[in-house]
Amino acid sequence: MRFFALFSLLFVPFQLFAKELNTQIAFIPDVHFHDIYADFNQAGFAGIKLNSQANPVAIRSMRTQLHSTRLFNENYFALIAALDDIAARNVKLVALPGDFTDDGQPIHLKGLKTLLSDYSERYGIRFFAIPGNHDPVKPIRTAAGKSDFLNNEGREVAIFSRDHRNCKASHPETLFCDDGIAHGGYQEIISAMADFGLMPNNQDLRWQTPFESNQSTLLERQYQQCSEDKKHCVMLPDTSYLVEPIDGLWLLAIDANVYLPEFKNNQLTFKGSGNAGYNKVLTEKPYLIRWIKQIVSTAKKQNKTLIAFSHFPMGEFYDQQSESIKGLFGNNAFQLTRKPTNRTQSALAETGLRLHIGGHMHMNDTSIIRTKTNTLYNIQAPSISAYRPAYKLVSIKGSEAKVDTVLLNSVANFDTLFPAYKKEYNYLAEHNPDEKWLADILDSENYRQFTLQHLTGLAKWRFIPQEWPDSFKTILLSYSLHELLSLYENPTSPPITKASGTFLNRVTLFDFIRDFYLIRNAGSLAFEDIPKIHLKAYKLMAQQINTMGQCLPRQVSKIAQSVDVCSLQAGLSKALTIFEKLAASDNDRCLIIDLNLKADKPAKICASQ
């Protein structure tokens, strides 16, 4: 590795006249890969036999999926569809910015490795991975499992690792034990994914880490991590690396996971890294910031094109609406704890990085962080396992990078598992009707519609109960916007015309909340799934509420007597304003960024938009 570094420094003058870089890199974060064909036969779990499948499937329930921000099963087919699309475009470089698995289980890591290796062999695609907070969940292997696998009758059963307390206690009919479902740590991640950027490869022109050793083992890539009270310190891995896969292109993979150790009941454990992100990197991994600055400086001297990627966002992901969101939903709602502080964003921009692509939030968004010396573009790539499924494609020509969004509207075989879900639905209808989900999702005609229906169910089952004010969690969810206005005396509001009344009558409060999450997740990509009549109704509703003045409930309304309709009015006004701001972003689909580290030219929105 030192030879590569020395070689690069000796030949800087000649590299200034290298041929113009012309290449593409695909970025697919948050795959959350679950091998639906994983074999648990030794544990006694046979899975579900589907008529169309030669092998049984080991899948998790639809009920669980509709309470989760990501899919667990269909993303198997979505990843194949994305890689097929990438291969058809003749793209040879693919980055995986974290959460490539859904908890680092060895059995799913094995399946992922097999799939990626197949595409490498068939199409010559090279993969570059960096861990996220789900791979690993904790830095060391931990006993774990899932209690929501479906058996052949549509009933949920549990599979846990053999060292888990559940397996030590007993073996009931609904419990199976298999070590392949444990949460793998860094060692398990590296062992499975070494060929995908995490270890040196003789195909690369350059590969290095933040550490000065020969970097050949995980033990040589460690730093000291202490608990918050500084009483307990351990050595933990950091898998960050810089790679030059082709002449002139540097990919900087940053391991921004921070796991704080803590001792409970005389045992070492760790806090998860999901809410830590770059705020903790600044305080716990300052060497990474210094290393990034050195990489930027060297890239500038050697005329290299530098793109950074990691799992966590470097910028704000709510279009500067975080404070407004806090005001309505609370400080910790909408995963606001994951937002980098202004200080953190400035520190990251001051490293000199121009382009960073992250995941974690399952959102399509672009944030621009400006300081006196640099402008950093943080691209939030959407997840293929959530609405709206897509990946980012960066096309580099010369010093310009076109960051485009490739949509996965159609995914072959996305409905393969529907017969299994029908078994689950029928089982719930008979044994636990309160947990019965909306069967409409099984009417989805394509994958895009399936993820939309998933988010609709997620809003109903999780988001509204957990995130929205109490005044929204009532029978009013089924009310049209026109009916909501009828709860108030509106002496100062403009009269509603027949046409306007039609708009307001056709849109319910639940429609608005669902559309709110569509915009939050997908940004401008969501407009294709939000009827224009909805957008007109929201604009008209905002005008009506904002001209009401003091809240005056209609006393003749029974709802007004049983629900705090004044809180609803104030909350809806704020929510409509936030919706409008989130919907105004125009740079989240395709952007052209000049990566010349010696200049700071503003980005351009692609003409095709």
Side-chain angles (χ1 to χ4, degrees):
M1 296 311 123
R2 290 175 181 170
F3 169 79
F4 283 134
L6 180 61
F7 184 90
S8 299
L9 289 172
L10 288 174
F11 287 88
V12 168
F14 297 97
Q15 292 182 2
L16 294 176
F17 301 98
K19 63 180 181 180
E20 187 178 81
L21 190 62
N22 188 353
T23 191
Q24 292 182 305
I25 314 103
F27 291 83
I28 316 177
D30 299 288
V31 174
H32 290 281
F33 183 81
H34 173 115
D35 187 357
I36 64 172
Y37 297 108
D39 186 354
F40 292 105
N41 273 310
Q42 287 189 347
F45 177 69
I48 301 178
K49 186 72 172 70
L50 302 177
N51 292 334
S52 61
Q53 298 292 302
N55 298 316
V57 293
I59 62 173
R60 296 170 68 184
S61 69
M62 177 61 76
R63 184 196 65 83
T64 299
Q65 290 198 133
L66 291 175
H67 285 79
S68 169
T69 56
R70 73 266 187 194
L71 296 164
F72 300 118
N73 305 320
E74 282 68 29
N75 40 7
Y76 179 93
F77 303 108
L79 178 58
I80 291 173
L83 295 180
D84 284 345
D85 184 78
I86 287 166
R89 295 171 185 267
N90 201 33
V91 176
K92 300 300 183 184
L93 304 174
V94 177
L96 303 173
D99 284 6
F100 38 81
T101 67
D102 195 57
D103 286 339
Q105 303 100 326
I107 199 163
H108 297 319
L109 279 165
K110 179 182 177 181
L112 179 62
K113 179 181 180 180
T114 299
L115 182 62
L116 298 183
S117 297
D118 177 55
Y119 277 85
S120 292
E121 292 171 8
R122 284 197 290 153
Y123 301 107
I125 297 174
R126 297 203 58 206
F127 296 93
F128 300 93
I130 198 69
N133 60 297
H134 279 275
D135 36 36
V137 176
K138 301 291 175 66
I140 57 176
R141 180 195 180 279
T142 54
K146 305 296 179 185
S147 58
D148 48 33
F149 280 85
L150 282 182
N151 69 8
N152 204 47
E153 61 179 342
R155 180 183 183 183
E156 289 187 359
V157 298
I159 306 178
F160 283 88
S161 57
R162 288 180 292 180
D163 55 350
H164 193 275
R165 62 181 181 274
N166 288 356
C167 286
K168 291 179 178 180
S170 62
H171 287 266
E173 180 185 350
T174 57
L175 175 65
F176 302 91
C177 300
D178 191 302
D179 286 342
I181 205 69
H183 288 175
Y186 269 110
Q187 187 59 60
E188 287 75 18
I189 299 294
I190 286 287
S191 296
M193 303 292 287
D195 293 340
F196 309 122
L198 291 172
M199 284 294 181
N201 189 306
N202 58 16
Q203 296 182 67
D204 297 320
L205 302 176
R206 183 187 187 106
W207 190 93
Q208 69 178 71
T209 78
F211 305 97
E212 295 182 358
S213 67
N214 62 20
Q215 307 157 349
S216 61
T217 70
L218 195 58
L219 288 175
E220 294 167 306
R221 299 162 68 184
Q222 295 194 350
Y223 72 104
Q224 187 182 65
Q225 180 64 68
C226 297
S227 58
E228 288 181 304
D229 59 10
K230 307 303 179 185
K231 292 182 179 180
H232 307 287
C233 297
V234 294
M235 297 300 292
L236 293 181
D238 180 333
T239 58
S240 301
Y241 61 92
L242 172 72
V243 63
E244 185 173 8
I246 61 174
D247 187 19
L249 174 66
W250 282 10
L251 297 177
L252 180 60
I254 304 169
D255 182 353
N257 278 324
V258 175
Y259 302 95
L260 295 178
E262 52 186 356
F263 279 81
K264 291 183 178 179
N265 301 322
N266 294 320
Q267 288 188 330
L268 174 67
T269 184
F270 296 89
K271 293 183 179 180
S273 68
N275 292 331
Y278 280 98
N279 291 329
K280 287 296 184 182
V281 168
L282 255 62
T283 59
E284 307 301 320
K285 289 183 167 182
Y287 65 89
L288 273 183
I289 304 302
R290 295 192 294 270
W291 182 61
I292 294 170
K293 288 181 179 178
Q294 292 170 2
I295 295 298
V296 171
S297 176
T298 306
K300 186 182 294 186
K301 292 176 182 177
Q302 298 188 18
N303 201 36
K304 302 291 184 179
T305 295
L306 176 64
I307 299 177
F309 67 97
S310 70
H311 184 59
F312 299 95
M314 285 189 171
E316 209 261 9
F317 37 78
Y318 285 135
D319 297 308
Q320 308 306 316
Q321 293 305 298
S322 292
E323 292 305 314
S324 298
I325 290 172
K326 284 182 183 180
L328 177 57
F329 300 100
N331 292 339
N332 297 321
F334 283 53
Q335 299 179 323
L336 282 170
T337 51
R338 297 179 171 186
K339 172 186 171 293
T341 65
N342 291 337
R343 174 177 173 270
T344 297
Q345 293 181 59
S346 295
L348 292 169
E350 285 297 310
T351 63
L353 283 177
R354 288 282 285 168
L355 176 60
H356 169 264
I357 296 176
H360 194 40
M361 302 307 298
H362 302 183
M363 292 177 186
N364 177 56
D365 186 68
T366 298
S367 59
I368 304 173
I369 309 159
R370 293 185 175 90
T371 66
K372 292 182 179 179
T373 60
N374 186 45
T375 301
L376 169 61
Y377 295 89
N378 178 73
I379 307 295
Q380 286 302 119
S383 169
I384 62 171
S385 62
Y387 179 85
R388 184 173 180 190
Y391 68 89
K392 294 290 182 178
L393 181 63
V394 178
S395 303
I396 300 173
K397 189 168 185 181
S399 66
E400 285 193 337
K402 179 184 179 184
V403 184
D404 209 349
T405 310
V406 181
L407 303 172
L408 288 184
N409 291 327
S410 298
V411 167
N413 304 314
F414 84 97
D415 56 355
T416 296
L417 307 176
F418 282 17
Y421 297 139
K422 289 178 181 177
K423 288 186 177 184
E424 176 194 352
Y425 185 87
N426 292 336
Y427 183 89
L428 289 174
E430 181 178 353
H431 297 92
N432 195 1
D434 289 342
E435 291 291 330
K436 190 175 65 173
W437 30 267
L438 297 175
D440 292 357
I441 192 169
L442 301 184
D443 295 327
S444 300
E445 296 180 357
N446 53 49
Y447 186 62
R448 165 185 164 189
Q449 191 178 82
F450 181 78
T451 60
L452 189 153
Q453 291 284 73
H454 170 254
L455 187 56
T456 301
L458 195 55
K460 173 182 173 62
W461 292 102
R462 174 171 167 171
F463 291 150
I464 293 174
Q466 293 184 7
E467 296 184 336
W468 286 74
D470 290 340
S471 56
F472 287 80
K473 305 172 188 176
T474 66
I475 191 175
L476 296 180
L477 282 171
S478 63
Y479 271 43
S480 72
L481 299 186
H482 191 275
E483 289 174 309
L484 292 182
L485 286 177
S486 71
L487 300 177
Y488 307 97
E489 301 282 358
N490 304 326
T492 59
S493 296
I496 298 176
T497 64
K498 183 176 180 180
S500 298
T502 300
F503 293 150
L504 297 176
N505 265 319
R506 291 174 60 181
V507 185
T508 66
L509 180 58
F510 181 79
D511 289 333
F512 168 68
I513 294 176
R514 192 282 307 261
D515 292 347
F516 188 99
Y517 284 107
L518 295 186
I519 285 288
R520 186 199 71 165
N521 274 33
S524 64
L525 304 179
F527 288 131
E528 295 175 44
D529 292 315
I530 300 177
K532 291 182 179 179
I533 192 173
H534 285 206
L535 298 174
K536 291 179 180 178
Y538 302 149
K539 185 175 182 180
L540 179 61
M541 189 69 176
Q543 293 172 348
Q544 289 285 323
I545 291 179
N546 292 338
T547 56
M548 280 184 185
Q550 182 181 359
C551 177
L552 298 172
R554 285 189 187 275
Q555 297 304 315
V556 295
S557 169
K558 292 182 180 180
I559 291 293
Q561 296 171 9
S562 60
V563 178
D564 187 351
V565 296
C566 286
S567 293
L568 176 68
Q569 176 190 322
L572 190 53
S573 176
K574 293 177 181 178
L576 285 162
T577 299
I578 295 169
F579 178 90
E580 181 183 3
K581 299 293 185 182
L582 293 176
S585 177
D586 60 355
N587 60 9
D588 60 7
R589 184 156 190 166
C590 185
L591 202 62
I592 298 173
I593 301 168
D594 194 316
L595 297 181
N596 186 351
L597 297 174
K598 300 175 184 178
D600 192 5
K601 297 179 181 178
K604 300 174 289 186
I605 297 175
C606 301
S608 59
Q609 283 191 272

